[in-house]
Amino acid sequence: MPLLHKIAVVVVIAAVVAGLWLPDRGPDDSADATRAAGEGPASEGRGGQARGKDPVAPGSRPAAPSSAPPAPPATVGPATPAAAAAKANELGQIPVIMYHRIIDKPELSLDRSAAEFREELVRLAKGGYVPITAGEMVSGRFNVPAGRHPVVLTFDDSTPGHFALDPQGRPKAGTAVAIIQEVARQYPGFRPTATFYLNQELFGLAAQEAAGLKWLLQNGFELGNHTLSHKNLSTLSKAAVQKEIGDIESKVVSLTGTHTATLAYPFGNEPRKRQWAARKEGAYDFKGVFLAGWKPSESPFDENFDHLAISRVRSEGKIKENDCKQFCSTAWLDRLDAAPGERYTSDGDPHTITFPRAEEDRLAKELRGRGRVY
């Protein structure tokens, strides 16, 4: 073989070997990457204060290619003096309070009177809590002033005591929405928002369904999915689960033009397979799924946060029923008041995650680049 041909063969073989040895370029794995909540049918809940902390759902964090060397862990930076002075802890617990009927005279165990509801809101406002929506919490996109605490107000079953319109097209006096707005006017900084988990009755609005749901969205409230007829999903087939969820979702979309961002299970019961409820191609794609109790939620920046099983706290005083002396809203708010280091306290900056150094191991690994300690 001529010398030039031999040289050419050697060059080709060397190029092939080099191509096999070099690692492919994988996805961006920087530890400062935020948790992407994902875009799809359920993007409606990302409105309002949607910026900043944006966590990826557990199980969907990008992995480095197996051939790539492991990236060095990101360094957690120092907290600002202002954040330290505020005793910020953005890995603390967030109360997600679960309400059912709001009526003048409670009849059922889950009912709360309008007076009891107002009293609890005033307590939250005086205690430095700022309402955010369920969708904002799940995405991590919320902006709470330094030293204040997020709280999520959720309402199941879309009953008339939650919301109605008066003849002038305003929230009817005595409903949950009207009371939230009244307390917000009385206590500036208490944001008038909540998430309403809908069944087919839609607050009993009848001919006003479209106008009522649009009013809620246009005035800073959020809509969530609670299934069409409130069946126990743990007893249903895949097709039945998806029909229950999909039918109310399609109704909401037809009335408002938007999808819901989150689901709350009826009775807090999961279906046999979580994914049946979490997503159906072309029908719904939830960024978070909520249970029925009995403790505050982990921070969305906590390594252990499970976006498909978010805990809530029933609104109730320290009564004997259902262990409410320990596990309902009054008991939990008392506990967090007594141990303020356990609750989420904001650093005032939606782009950083500040916490005491002792809590560092709880921060989700891909968020370390945004972590700040003191």
Side-chain angles (χ1 to χ4, degrees), residues 314-371:
R314 170 186 165 185
S315 176
E316 186 54 88
K318 289 183 175 180
I319 62 174
K320 292 182 179 180
E321 179 193 346
N322 292 327
D323 292 325
C324 275
K325 286 188 174 181
Q326 291 181 280
F327 300 115
C328 289
S329 60
T330 298
W332 271 112
L333 292 174
D334 285 350
R335 189 179 309 184
L336 293 175
D337 283 347
E342 295 182 7
R343 67 185 168 193
Y344 187 116
T345 299
S346 176
D347 65 3
D349 183 348
H351 303 292
T352 58
I353 305 167
T354 300
F355 46 86
R357 186 172 295 279
E359 305 293 332
E360 184 173 343
D361 288 346
R362 291 171 49 200
L363 179 65
K365 292 180 177 60
E366 73 275 13
L367 298 176
R368 285 184 60 81
R370 293 169 54 211

Side-chain angles (χ1 to χ4, degrees), residues 76-108:
V76 173
T80 64
K87 298 182 178 179
N89 181 12
E90 295 183 308
L91 295 177
Q93 300 176 84
I94 299 177
V96 181
I97 303 180
M98 177 182 68
Y99 298 96
H100 286 82
R101 294 199 306 174
I102 305 296
I103 59 177
D104 288 336
K105 296 181 180 180
E107 300 168 349
L108 305 175

